[in-house]
Amino acid sequence: MQTSTLFRSGALSVLDYRCSAAPGDKPYAELFPTHSISYVRKGSFGCRTRGRSHELVPGSLLVGHAGDEYSCTHDHHAGGDECLSFQFAPEIAEAVGGDSRIWRVGCIPPVPNLMVLGELAQSASQGGSDVSVEEVGLILARRFVELLSDRPRPRNDPAPRDRRRAVEAALWIDAHSHESIGLDAIARETGLSMFHFLRVFNRVFGVTPHQYLLRSRLRRAVRLLTEDTRAITSVAFDVGFNDLSNFVRTFHRAAGISPERFRRASRGERKIFQDRLRSPA
């Protein structure tokens, strides 16, 4: 089993699992270390937990309850499997909700709205989305609980105090957008749990905190590209991107053209704006 940690904070870890086990390999008992949801993106495997057997295929979710024993089998597929696993600290599992029976379901077959979130999480883990992988993990966990408990998401507007906290958080994000900041750091500034903060922020502004962070960085980048002569790489690092290719990709998604072409357009090549520039989504 090859395991890579893609993200880790005190409340949430995201791991990439790549297993090469094949039929005939002897299964062995393991324990779920935390409450977890693992999205199967490739291959197939079986799982036995709490006296029940499950078969997982791409799009399935393996659900774990902290402390429960399980074993994986590979009787029906010789090509290995790959999973993106979200592992939640107890306080996050409690905030997301759901009783023990929900977290002990073992497996969820491919369900469209959960598959969409699983694929979005995979894209986010590879830098292909404006939503952070930790945010998608929290949203996936909440949607999973809602689906199994058939409990609709509350539609009431945020209280005035929560609205104020969201505004203060947005201003804090704007002021610190050039820094490396995660969802847990922003939530601490508001005095809210990560999950509650994500929900409140999204309801108030219609975007996640990470989307807002990226847009703050992009606003600064636009200013630097139009007002400064520093290299594109310097602009990327100065506004908070730690990877040039990620900056170029993110900028292109928002503007429809590359940072270099945007700079040229801002300096007189108006046809670029007319032909290619589109409003950010």
Side-chain angles (χ1 to χ4, degrees):
M1 173 79 75
Q2 180 183 345
T3 305
S4 302
T5 300
L6 305 181
F7 176 85
R8 187 185 298 279
S9 70
L12 169 66
S13 296
V14 183
L15 287 79
D16 182 271
Y17 287 111
R18 298 170 186 249
C19 180
S20 58
D25 289 347
K26 185 178 180 179
Y28 55 92
E30 301 178 78
L31 294 179
F32 289 111
T34 65
H35 284 49
S36 62
I37 298 176
S38 300
Y39 177 70
V40 183
R41 68 169 181 265
K42 184 178 180 181
S44 176
F45 63 98
C47 179
R48 184 168 180 82
T49 181
R50 300 187 65 82
R52 298 179 61 194
S53 296
H54 310 272
E55 295 296 333
L56 295 96
V57 295
S60 300
L61 297 178
L62 175 64
V63 181
H65 185 285
D68 278 3
E69 185 176 287
Y70 72 100
S71 61
C72 291
T73 59
H74 302 83
D75 299 332
H76 309 302
H77 180 68
D81 56 86
E82 298 180 5
C83 296
L84 188 66
S85 180
F86 297 90
Q87 303 189 355
F88 306 99
E91 62 269 22
I92 295 298
E94 182 179 352
V96 169
D99 59 31
S100 294
R101 289 174 299 175
I102 289 178
W103 286 96
R104 284 178 163 140
V105 68
C107 170
I108 298 292
V111 174
N113 51 8
L114 296 181
M115 285 174 54
V116 167
L117 291 173
E119 290 298 329
L120 178 60
Q122 184 62 42
S123 177
S125 73
Q126 299 171 333
S129 171
D130 287 351
V131 183
S132 73
V133 68
E134 58 177 323
E135 290 171 343
V136 185
L138 293 173
I139 296 169
L140 175 62
R142 183 59 179 174
R143 188 68 193 95
F144 152 74
V145 169
E146 288 176 348
L147 183 68
L148 266 69
S149 62
D150 199 26
R151 185 173 59 215
R153 181 176 178 176
R155 297 295 180 182
N156 56 303
D157 291 332
R161 184 183 182 188
D162 283 344
R163 287 183 172 275
R164 175 180 56 79
R165 284 171 163 171
V167 170
E168 291 174 351
L171 296 175
W172 188 87
I173 292 171
D174 226 17
H176 296 81
S177 63
H178 60 289
E179 302 173 9
S180 178
I181 53 177
L183 185 62
D184 55 343
I186 307 170
R188 281 198 302 270
E189 289 294 318
T190 67
L192 297 173
S193 69
M194 284 175 58
F195 180 77
H196 186 50
F197 167 67
L198 174 61
R199 182 171 55 187
V200 167
F201 194 97
N202 201 3
R203 286 184 184 175
V204 172
F205 296 112
V207 295
T208 71
H210 191 70
Q211 287 174 314
Y212 187 81
L213 170 64
L214 288 179
R215 292 173 191 188
S216 295
R217 289 173 175 171
L218 288 171
R219 288 200 308 273
R220 281 194 70 210
V222 167
R223 289 197 296 269
L224 292 177
L225 289 169
T226 56
E227 300 171 0
D228 204 294
T229 58
R230 72 187 74 182
I232 300 296
T233 301
S234 296
V235 171
F237 290 136
D238 288 349
V239 301
F241 288 89
N242 57 13
D243 180 85
L244 177 60
S245 62
N246 185 29
F247 168 63
V248 172
R249 184 170 56 247
T250 302
F251 191 97
H252 197 285
R253 275 203 306 267
I257 55 177
S258 68
E260 180 59 39
R261 294 199 74 197
F262 180 89
R263 171 174 273 172
R264 284 162 41 202
S266 72
R267 296 180 180 181
E269 294 189 32
R270 300 299 180 193
K271 192 173 186 302
I272 294 177
F273 279 124
Q274 295 167 359
D275 293 348
R276 297 296 302 278
L277 191 62
R278 59 179 173 82
S279 299

PDB file of all heavy atoms in Angstrom, residues 137-170:
ATOM      1  N   GLY A 137     -13.887  18.142   1.360  1.00  0.00           N
ATOM      2  CA  GLY A 137     -14.028  17.056   2.321  1.00  0.00           C
ATOM      3  C   GLY A 137     -15.128  17.313   3.332  1.00  0.00           C
ATOM      4  O   GLY A 137     -15.917  16.412   3.658  1.00  0.00           O
ATOM      5  N   LEU A 138     -15.206  18.545   3.834  1.00  0.00           N
ATOM      6  CA  LEU A 138     -16.249  18.894   4.795  1.00  0.00           C
ATOM      7  C   LEU A 138     -17.632  18.876   4.148  1.00  0.00           C
ATOM      8  O   LEU A 138     -18.612  18.404   4.738  1.00  0.00           O
ATOM      9  CB  LEU A 138     -15.962  20.266   5.397  1.00  0.00           C
ATOM     10  CG  LEU A 138     -14.725  20.362   6.283  1.00  0.00           C
ATOM     11  CD1 LEU A 138     -14.455  21.812   6.668  1.00  0.00           C
ATOM     12  CD2 LEU A 138     -14.873  19.504   7.526  1.00  0.00           C
ATOM     13  N   ILE A 139     -17.705  19.392   2.926  1.00  0.00           N
ATOM     14  CA  ILE A 139     -18.985  19.385   2.212  1.00  0.00           C
ATOM     15  C   ILE A 139     -19.433  17.955   1.917  1.00  0.00           C
ATOM     16  O   ILE A 139     -20.611  17.603   2.070  1.00  0.00           O
ATOM     17  CB  ILE A 139     -18.872  20.201   0.912  1.00  0.00           C
ATOM     18  CG1 ILE A 139     -18.581  21.674   1.232  1.00  0.00           C
ATOM     19  CG2 ILE A 139     -20.146  20.086   0.086  1.00  0.00           C
ATOM     20  CD1 ILE A 139     -18.198  22.496   0.017  1.00  0.00           C
ATOM     21  N   LEU A 140     -18.494  17.120   1.511  1.00  0.00           N
ATOM     22  CA  LEU A 140     -18.801  15.720   1.232  1.00  0.00           C
ATOM     23  C   LEU A 140     -19.324  15.016   2.479  1.00  0.00           C
ATOM     24  O   LEU A 140     -20.316  14.275   2.422  1.00  0.00           O
ATOM     25  CB  LEU A 140     -17.555  15.012   0.707  1.00  0.00           C
ATOM     26  CG  LEU A 140     -17.659  13.497   0.460  1.00  0.00           C
ATOM     27  CD1 LEU A 140     -18.710  13.193  -0.598  1.00  0.00           C
ATOM     28  CD2 LEU A 140     -16.302  12.932   0.057  1.00  0.00           C
ATOM     29  N   ALA A 141     -18.671  15.260   3.614  1.00  0.00           N
ATOM     30  CA  ALA A 141     -19.107  14.631   4.857  1.00  0.00           C
ATOM     31  C   ALA A 141     -20.519  15.054   5.224  1.00  0.00           C
ATOM     32  O   ALA A 141     -21.364  14.234   5.609  1.00  0.00           O
ATOM     33  CB  ALA A 141     -18.137  14.973   5.985  1.00  0.00           C
ATOM     34  N   ARG A 142     -20.805  16.341   5.100  1.00  0.00           N
ATOM     35  CA  ARG A 142     -22.133  16.838   5.437  1.00  0.00           C
ATOM     36  C   ARG A 142     -23.194  16.276   4.494  1.00  0.00           C
ATOM     37  O   ARG A 142     -24.282  15.867   4.932  1.00  0.00           O
ATOM     38  CB  ARG A 142     -22.141  18.366   5.384  1.00  0.00           C
ATOM     39  CG  ARG A 142     -23.465  18.997   5.788  1.00  0.00           C
ATOM     40  CD  ARG A 142     -23.858  18.612   7.194  1.00  0.00           C
ATOM     41  NE  ARG A 142     -25.109  19.221   7.590  1.00  0.00           N
ATOM     42  CZ  ARG A 142     -25.738  18.976   8.720  1.00  0.00           C
ATOM     43  NH1 ARG A 142     -25.223  18.120   9.584  1.00  0.00           N
ATOM     44  NH2 ARG A 142     -26.875  19.555   9.010  1.00  0.00           N
ATOM     45  N   ARG A 143     -22.878  16.227   3.209  1.00  0.00           N
ATOM     46  CA  ARG A 143     -23.854  15.716   2.241  1.00  0.00           C
ATOM     47  C   ARG A 143     -24.106  14.228   2.474  1.00  0.00           C
ATOM     48  O   ARG A 143     -25.238  13.751   2.327  1.00  0.00           O
ATOM     49  CB  ARG A 143     -23.337  15.961   0.816  1.00  0.00           C
ATOM     50  CG  ARG A 143     -24.371  15.631  -0.244  1.00  0.00           C
ATOM     51  CD  ARG A 143     -25.530  16.624  -0.193  1.00  0.00           C
ATOM     52  NE  ARG A 143     -26.665  16.164  -0.988  1.00  0.00           N
ATOM     53  CZ  ARG A 143     -27.695  15.508  -0.512  1.00  0.00           C
ATOM     54  NH1 ARG A 143     -27.756  15.202   0.778  1.00  0.00           N
ATOM     55  NH2 ARG A 143     -28.695  15.159  -1.291  1.00  0.00           N
ATOM     56  N   PHE A 144     -23.065  13.501   2.830  1.00  0.00           N
ATOM     57  CA  PHE A 144     -23.201  12.085   3.138  1.00  0.00           C
ATOM     58  C   PHE A 144     -24.152  11.870   4.315  1.00  0.00           C
ATOM     59  O   PHE A 144     -25.053  11.029   4.266  1.00  0.00           O
ATOM     60  CB  PHE A 144     -21.812  11.508   3.432  1.00  0.00           C
ATOM     61  CG  PHE A 144     -21.800  10.327   4.353  1.00  0.00           C
ATOM     62  CD1 PHE A 144     -22.215   9.084   3.920  1.00  0.00           C
ATOM     63  CD2 PHE A 144     -21.366  10.476   5.662  1.00  0.00           C
ATOM     64  CE1 PHE A 144     -22.200   7.996   4.784  1.00  0.00           C
ATOM     65  CE2 PHE A 144     -21.342   9.396   6.525  1.00  0.00           C
ATOM     66  CZ  PHE A 144     -21.772   8.153   6.081  1.00  0.00           C
ATOM     67  N   VAL A 145     -23.976  12.660   5.377  1.00  0.00           N
ATOM     68  CA  VAL A 145     -24.838  12.537   6.553  1.00  0.00           C
ATOM     69  C   VAL A 145     -26.273  12.912   6.200  1.00  0.00           C
ATOM     70  O   VAL A 145     -27.225  12.243   6.604  1.00  0.00           O
ATOM     71  CB  VAL A 145     -24.307  13.398   7.711  1.00  0.00           C
ATOM     72  CG1 VAL A 145     -25.327  13.492   8.835  1.00  0.00           C
ATOM     73  CG2 VAL A 145     -22.992  12.822   8.237  1.00  0.00           C
ATOM     74  N   GLU A 146     -26.449  13.988   5.443  1.00  0.00           N
ATOM     75  CA  GLU A 146     -27.799  14.408   5.041  1.00  0.00           C
ATOM     76  C   GLU A 146     -28.485  13.318   4.226  1.00  0.00           C
ATOM     77  O   GLU A 146     -29.665  13.045   4.402  1.00  0.00           O
ATOM     78  CB  GLU A 146     -27.722  15.697   4.218  1.00  0.00           C
ATOM     79  CG  GLU A 146     -27.368  16.936   5.039  1.00  0.00           C
ATOM     80  CD  GLU A 146     -27.215  18.158   4.164  1.00  0.00           C
ATOM     81  OE1 GLU A 146     -27.155  18.008   2.923  1.00  0.00           O
ATOM     82  OE2 GLU A 146     -27.141  19.270   4.716  1.00  0.00           O
ATOM     83  N   LEU A 147     -27.725  12.702   3.336  1.00  0.00           N
ATOM     84  CA  LEU A 147     -28.299  11.682   2.467  1.00  0.00           C
ATOM     85  C   LEU A 147     -28.784  10.486   3.267  1.00  0.00           C
ATOM     86  O   LEU A 147     -29.888   9.967   3.038  1.00  0.00           O
ATOM     87  CB  LEU A 147     -27.263  11.235   1.438  1.00  0.00           C
ATOM     88  CG  LEU A 147     -27.729  10.223   0.402  1.00  0.00           C
ATOM     89  CD1 LEU A 147     -28.738  10.854  -0.544  1.00  0.00           C
ATOM     90  CD2 LEU A 147     -26.545   9.675  -0.378  1.00  0.00           C
ATOM     91  N   LEU A 148     -27.981  10.061   4.236  1.00  0.00           N
ATOM     92  CA  LEU A 148     -28.341   8.869   4.985  1.00  0.00           C
ATOM     93  C   LEU A 148     -29.361   9.136   6.090  1.00  0.00           C
ATOM     94  O   LEU A 148     -30.098   8.248   6.486  1.00  0.00           O
ATOM     95  CB  LEU A 148     -27.086   8.214   5.585  1.00  0.00           C
ATOM     96  CG  LEU A 148     -26.494   7.116   4.700  1.00  0.00           C
ATOM     97  CD1 LEU A 148     -25.888   7.714   3.441  1.00  0.00           C
ATOM     98  CD2 LEU A 148     -25.463   6.294   5.453  1.00  0.00           C
ATOM     99  N   SER A 149     -29.398  10.349   6.587  1.00  0.00           N
ATOM    100  CA  SER A 149     -30.358  10.658   7.647  1.00  0.00           C
ATOM    101  C   SER A 149     -31.636  11.267   7.096  1.00  0.00           C
ATOM    102  O   SER A 149     -32.605  11.463   7.830  1.00  0.00           O
ATOM    103  CB  SER A 149     -29.732  11.616   8.660  1.00  0.00           C
ATOM    104  OG  SER A 149     -29.380  12.846   8.039  1.00  0.00           O
ATOM    105  N   ASP A 150     -31.601  11.592   5.777  1.00  0.00           N
ATOM    106  CA  ASP A 150     -32.760  12.219   5.139  1.00  0.00           C
ATOM    107  C   ASP A 150     -33.163  13.477   5.883  1.00  0.00           C
ATOM    108  O   ASP A 150     -34.333  13.812   6.001  1.00  0.00           O
ATOM    109  CB  ASP A 150     -33.947  11.254   5.051  1.00  0.00           C
ATOM    110  CG  ASP A 150     -34.967  11.696   4.014  1.00  0.00           C
ATOM    111  OD1 ASP A 150     -34.575  12.395   3.065  1.00  0.00           O
ATOM    112  OD2 ASP A 150     -36.148  11.357   4.180  1.00  0.00           O
ATOM    113  N   ARG A 151     -32.137  14.172   6.374  1.00  0.00           N
ATOM    114  CA  ARG A 151     -32.382  15.412   7.123  1.00  0.00           C
ATOM    115  C   ARG A 151     -31.993  16.578   6.241  1.00  0.00           C
ATOM    116  O   ARG A 151     -30.824  16.756   5.920  1.00  0.00           O
ATOM    117  CB  ARG A 151     -31.548  15.417   8.401  1.00  0.00           C
ATOM    118  CG  ARG A 151     -31.826  16.601   9.307  1.00  0.00           C
ATOM    119  CD  ARG A 151     -31.081  16.444  10.626  1.00  0.00           C
ATOM    120  NE  ARG A 151     -29.648  16.337  10.430  1.00  0.00           N
ATOM    121  CZ  ARG A 151     -28.858  15.577  11.176  1.00  0.00           C
ATOM    122  NH1 ARG A 151     -29.379  14.811  12.114  1.00  0.00           N
ATOM    123  NH2 ARG A 151     -27.556  15.546  10.965  1.00  0.00           N
ATOM    124  N   PRO A 152     -32.960  17.397   5.797  1.00  0.00           N
ATOM    125  CA  PRO A 152     -32.635  18.486   4.884  1.00  0.00           C
ATOM    126  C   PRO A 152     -31.751  19.533   5.540  1.00  0.00           C
ATOM    127  O   PRO A 152     -31.791  19.740   6.750  1.00  0.00           O
ATOM    128  CB  PRO A 152     -34.012  19.086   4.537  1.00  0.00           C
ATOM    129  CG  PRO A 152     -34.876  18.726   5.703  1.00  0.00           C
ATOM    130  CD  PRO A 152     -34.389  17.383   6.167  1.00  0.00           C
ATOM    131  N   ARG A 153     -30.939  20.159   4.715  1.00  0.00           N
ATOM    132  CA  ARG A 153     -30.075  21.226   5.202  1.00  0.00           C
ATOM    133  C   ARG A 153     -30.902  22.440   5.597  1.00  0.00           C
ATOM    134  O   ARG A 153     -31.784  22.857   4.857  1.00  0.00           O
ATOM    135  CB  ARG A 153     -29.091  21.614   4.089  1.00  0.00           C
ATOM    136  CG  ARG A 153     -28.120  22.705   4.471  1.00  0.00           C
ATOM    137  CD  ARG A 153     -27.148  22.936   3.328  1.00  0.00           C
ATOM    138  NE  ARG A 153     -26.227  24.008   3.633  1.00  0.00           N
ATOM    139  CZ  ARG A 153     -25.229  24.377   2.847  1.00  0.00           C
ATOM    140  NH1 ARG A 153     -25.039  23.750   1.714  1.00  0.00           N
ATOM    141  NH2 ARG A 153     -24.433  25.353   3.189  1.00  0.00           N
ATOM    142  N   PRO A 154     -30.634  23.051   6.751  1.00  0.00           N
ATOM    143  CA  PRO A 154     -31.387  24.232   7.164  1.00  0.00           C
ATOM    144  C   PRO A 154     -31.266  25.357   6.141  1.00  0.00           C
ATOM    145  O   PRO A 154     -30.193  25.590   5.595  1.00  0.00           O
ATOM    146  CB  PRO A 154     -30.731  24.621   8.500  1.00  0.00           C
ATOM    147  CG  PRO A 154     -30.060  23.380   8.979  1.00  0.00           C
ATOM    148  CD  PRO A 154     -29.636  22.644   7.747  1.00  0.00           C
ATOM    149  N   ARG A 155     -32.378  26.039   5.932  1.00  0.00           N
ATOM    150  CA  ARG A 155     -32.398  27.114   4.942  1.00  0.00           C
ATOM    151  C   ARG A 155     -32.495  28.493   5.573  1.00  0.00           C
ATOM    152  O   ARG A 155     -32.604  29.478   4.866  1.00  0.00           O
ATOM    153  CB  ARG A 155     -33.598  26.908   3.996  1.00  0.00           C
ATOM    154  CG  ARG A 155     -33.508  25.606   3.191  1.00  0.00           C
ATOM    155  CD  ARG A 155     -32.344  25.634   2.235  1.00  0.00           C
ATOM    156  NE  ARG A 155     -32.251  24.402   1.462  1.00  0.00           N
ATOM    157  CZ  ARG A 155     -31.300  24.153   0.575  1.00  0.00           C
ATOM    158  NH1 ARG A 155     -30.345  25.046   0.381  1.00  0.00           N
ATOM    159  NH2 ARG A 155     -31.274  23.011  -0.083  1.00  0.00           N
ATOM    160  N   ASN A 156     -32.494  28.569   6.910  1.00  0.00           N
ATOM    161  CA  ASN A 156     -32.631  29.865   7.545  1.00  0.00           C
ATOM    162  C   ASN A 156     -31.408  30.720   7.295  1.00  0.00           C
ATOM    163  O   ASN A 156     -30.297  30.230   7.116  1.00  0.00           O
ATOM    164  CB  ASN A 156     -32.832  29.687   9.055  1.00  0.00           C
ATOM    165  CG  ASN A 156     -31.712  28.891   9.692  1.00  0.00           C
ATOM    166  OD1 ASN A 156     -31.451  27.765   9.287  1.00  0.00           O
ATOM    167  ND2 ASN A 156     -31.066  29.470  10.680  1.00  0.00           N
ATOM    168  N   ASP A 157     -31.613  32.035   7.247  1.00  0.00           N
ATOM    169  CA  ASP A 157     -30.514  32.966   7.031  1.00  0.00           C
ATOM    170  C   ASP A 157     -29.599  32.992   8.236  1.00  0.00           C
ATOM    171  O   ASP A 157     -30.042  32.796   9.374  1.00  0.00           O
ATOM    172  CB  ASP A 157     -31.053  34.373   6.771  1.00  0.00           C
ATOM    173  CG  ASP A 157     -31.758  34.482   5.432  1.00  0.00           C
ATOM    174  OD1 ASP A 157     -31.404  33.713   4.520  1.00  0.00           O
ATOM    175  OD2 ASP A 157     -32.653  35.327   5.315  1.00  0.00           O
ATOM    176  N   PRO A 158     -28.297  33.268   8.015  1.00  0.00           N
ATOM    177  CA  PRO A 158     -27.386  33.377   9.151  1.00  0.00           C
ATOM    178  C   PRO A 158     -27.813  34.495  10.096  1.00  0.00           C
ATOM    179  O   PRO A 158     -28.338  35.527   9.668  1.00  0.00           O
ATOM    180  CB  PRO A 158     -26.045  33.696   8.487  1.00  0.00           C
ATOM    181  CG  PRO A 158     -26.180  33.215   7.082  1.00  0.00           C
ATOM    182  CD  PRO A 158     -27.617  33.412   6.725  1.00  0.00           C
ATOM    183  N   ALA A 159     -27.581  34.289  11.368  1.00  0.00           N
ATOM    184  CA  ALA A 159     -27.890  35.312  12.364  1.00  0.00           C
ATOM    185  C   ALA A 159     -26.979  36.520  12.156  1.00  0.00           C
ATOM    186  O   ALA A 159     -25.885  36.392  11.589  1.00  0.00           O
ATOM    187  CB  ALA A 159     -27.689  34.742  13.765  1.00  0.00           C
ATOM    188  N   PRO A 160     -27.393  37.712  12.617  1.00  0.00           N
ATOM    189  CA  PRO A 160     -26.558  38.917  12.457  1.00  0.00           C
ATOM    190  C   PRO A 160     -25.138  38.738  12.974  1.00  0.00           C
ATOM    191  O   PRO A 160     -24.179  39.218  12.356  1.00  0.00           O
ATOM    192  CB  PRO A 160     -27.324  39.968  13.263  1.00  0.00           C
ATOM    193  CG  PRO A 160     -28.750  39.520  13.193  1.00  0.00           C
ATOM    194  CD  PRO A 160     -28.694  38.019  13.216  1.00  0.00           C
ATOM    195  N   ARG A 161     -24.995  38.033  14.095  1.00  0.00           N
ATOM    196  CA  ARG A 161     -23.657  37.819  14.641  1.00  0.00           C
ATOM    197  C   ARG A 161     -22.796  36.996  13.685  1.00  0.00           C
ATOM    198  O   ARG A 161     -21.607  37.293  13.491  1.00  0.00           O
ATOM    199  CB  ARG A 161     -23.756  37.112  15.989  1.00  0.00           C
ATOM    200  CG  ARG A 161     -22.412  36.924  16.684  1.00  0.00           C
ATOM    201  CD  ARG A 161     -22.576  36.147  17.970  1.00  0.00           C
ATOM    202  NE  ARG A 161     -21.310  36.000  18.670  1.00  0.00           N
ATOM    203  CZ  ARG A 161     -21.131  35.234  19.737  1.00  0.00           C
ATOM    204  NH1 ARG A 161     -22.158  34.556  20.231  1.00  0.00           N
ATOM    205  NH2 ARG A 161     -19.952  35.146  20.302  1.00  0.00           N
ATOM    206  N   ASP A 162     -23.403  35.972  13.078  1.00  0.00           N
ATOM    207  CA  ASP A 162     -22.653  35.157  12.129  1.00  0.00           C
ATOM    208  C   ASP A 162     -22.319  35.944  10.869  1.00  0.00           C
ATOM    209  O   ASP A 162     -21.246  35.772  10.277  1.00  0.00           O
ATOM    210  CB  ASP A 162     -23.447  33.904  11.777  1.00  0.00           C
ATOM    211  CG  ASP A 162     -23.395  32.849  12.867  1.00  0.00           C
ATOM    212  OD1 ASP A 162     -22.510  32.960  13.741  1.00  0.00           O
ATOM    213  OD2 ASP A 162     -24.233  31.932  12.856  1.00  0.00           O
ATOM    214  N   ARG A 163     -23.246  36.801  10.435  1.00  0.00           N
ATOM    215  CA  ARG A 163     -22.965  37.642   9.269  1.00  0.00           C
ATOM    216  C   ARG A 163     -21.771  38.556   9.542  1.00  0.00           C
ATOM    217  O   ARG A 163     -20.897  38.741   8.699  1.00  0.00           O
ATOM    218  CB  ARG A 163     -24.189  38.470   8.896  1.00  0.00           C
ATOM    219  CG  ARG A 163     -25.298  37.661   8.250  1.00  0.00           C
ATOM    220  CD  ARG A 163     -26.460  38.545   7.825  1.00  0.00           C
ATOM    221  NE  ARG A 163     -27.420  37.788   7.049  1.00  0.00           N
ATOM    222  CZ  ARG A 163     -27.337  37.577   5.749  1.00  0.00           C
ATOM    223  NH1 ARG A 163     -26.321  38.088   5.076  1.00  0.00           N
ATOM    224  NH2 ARG A 163     -28.247  36.870   5.112  1.00  0.00           N
ATOM    225  N   ARG A 164     -21.745  39.104  10.730  1.00  0.00           N
ATOM    226  CA  ARG A 164     -20.618  39.972  11.100  1.00  0.00           C
ATOM    227  C   ARG A 164     -19.316  39.189  11.083  1.00  0.00           C
ATOM    228  O   ARG A 164     -18.302  39.666  10.575  1.00  0.00           O
ATOM    229  CB  ARG A 164     -20.856  40.578  12.482  1.00  0.00           C
ATOM    230  CG  ARG A 164     -19.673  41.404  13.000  1.00  0.00           C
ATOM    231  CD  ARG A 164     -19.961  41.986  14.377  1.00  0.00           C
ATOM    232  NE  ARG A 164     -20.319  40.953  15.349  1.00  0.00           N
ATOM    233  CZ  ARG A 164     -19.426  40.168  15.951  1.00  0.00           C
ATOM    234  NH1 ARG A 164     -18.135  40.274  15.673  1.00  0.00           N
ATOM    235  NH2 ARG A 164     -19.815  39.256  16.826  1.00  0.00           N
ATOM    236  N   ARG A 165     -19.352  37.995  11.631  1.00  0.00           N
ATOM    237  CA  ARG A 165     -18.152  37.173  11.640  1.00  0.00           C
ATOM    238  C   ARG A 165     -17.685  36.858  10.222  1.00  0.00           C
ATOM    239  O   ARG A 165     -16.485  36.830   9.931  1.00  0.00           O
ATOM    240  CB  ARG A 165     -18.416  35.870  12.404  1.00  0.00           C
ATOM    241  CG  ARG A 165     -18.451  36.043  13.921  1.00  0.00           C
ATOM    242  CD  ARG A 165     -18.924  34.769  14.590  1.00  0.00           C
ATOM    243  NE  ARG A 165     -18.606  34.755  16.015  1.00  0.00           N
ATOM    244  CZ  ARG A 165     -19.049  33.849  16.869  1.00  0.00           C
ATOM    245  NH1 ARG A 165     -19.836  32.874  16.439  1.00  0.00           N
ATOM    246  NH2 ARG A 165     -18.710  33.894  18.145  1.00  0.00           N
ATOM    247  N   ALA A 166     -18.637  36.601   9.330  1.00  0.00           N
ATOM    248  CA  ALA A 166     -18.273  36.295   7.948  1.00  0.00           C
ATOM    249  C   ALA A 166     -17.620  37.504   7.285  1.00  0.00           C
ATOM    250  O   ALA A 166     -16.618  37.356   6.562  1.00  0.00           O
ATOM    251  CB  ALA A 166     -19.510  35.867   7.159  1.00  0.00           C
ATOM    252  N   VAL A 167     -18.169  38.684   7.530  1.00  0.00           N
ATOM    253  CA  VAL A 167     -17.587  39.909   6.961  1.00  0.00           C
ATOM    254  C   VAL A 167     -16.187  40.129   7.515  1.00  0.00           C
ATOM    255  O   VAL A 167     -15.239  40.439   6.775  1.00  0.00           O
ATOM    256  CB  VAL A 167     -18.483  41.125   7.251  1.00  0.00           C
ATOM    257  CG1 VAL A 167     -17.774  42.417   6.879  1.00  0.00           C
ATOM    258  CG2 VAL A 167     -19.798  41.004   6.480  1.00  0.00           C
ATOM    259  N   GLU A 168     -16.028  39.992   8.818  1.00  0.00           N
ATOM    260  CA  GLU A 168     -14.710  40.157   9.431  1.00  0.00           C
ATOM    261  C   GLU A 168     -13.714  39.150   8.875  1.00  0.00           C
ATOM    262  O   GLU A 168     -12.543  39.473   8.634  1.00  0.00           O
ATOM    263  CB  GLU A 168     -14.821  40.021  10.945  1.00  0.00           C
ATOM    264  CG  GLU A 168     -15.566  41.171  11.608  1.00  0.00           C
ATOM    265  CD  GLU A 168     -15.804  40.946  13.097  1.00  0.00           C
ATOM    266  OE1 GLU A 168     -15.537  39.817  13.576  1.00  0.00           O
ATOM    267  OE2 GLU A 168     -16.255  41.885  13.771  1.00  0.00           O
ATOM    268  N   ALA A 169     -14.195  37.929   8.651  1.00  0.00           N
ATOM    269  CA  ALA A 169     -13.320  36.897   8.092  1.00  0.00           C
ATOM    270  C   ALA A 169     -12.895  37.258   6.672  1.00  0.00           C
ATOM    271  O   ALA A 169     -11.734  37.070   6.297  1.00  0.00           O
ATOM    272  CB  ALA A 169     -14.024  35.546   8.102  1.00  0.00           C
ATOM    273  N   ALA A 170     -13.841  37.771   5.880  1.00  0.00           N
ATOM    274  CA  ALA A 170     -13.507  38.158   4.510  1.00  0.00           C
ATOM    275  C   ALA A 170     -12.455  39.262   4.497  1.00  0.00           C
ATOM    276  O   ALA A 170     -11.505  39.222   3.691  1.00  0.00           O
ATOM    277  CB  ALA A 170     -14.763  38.612   3.774  1.00  0.00           C
TER     278      ALA A 170
END
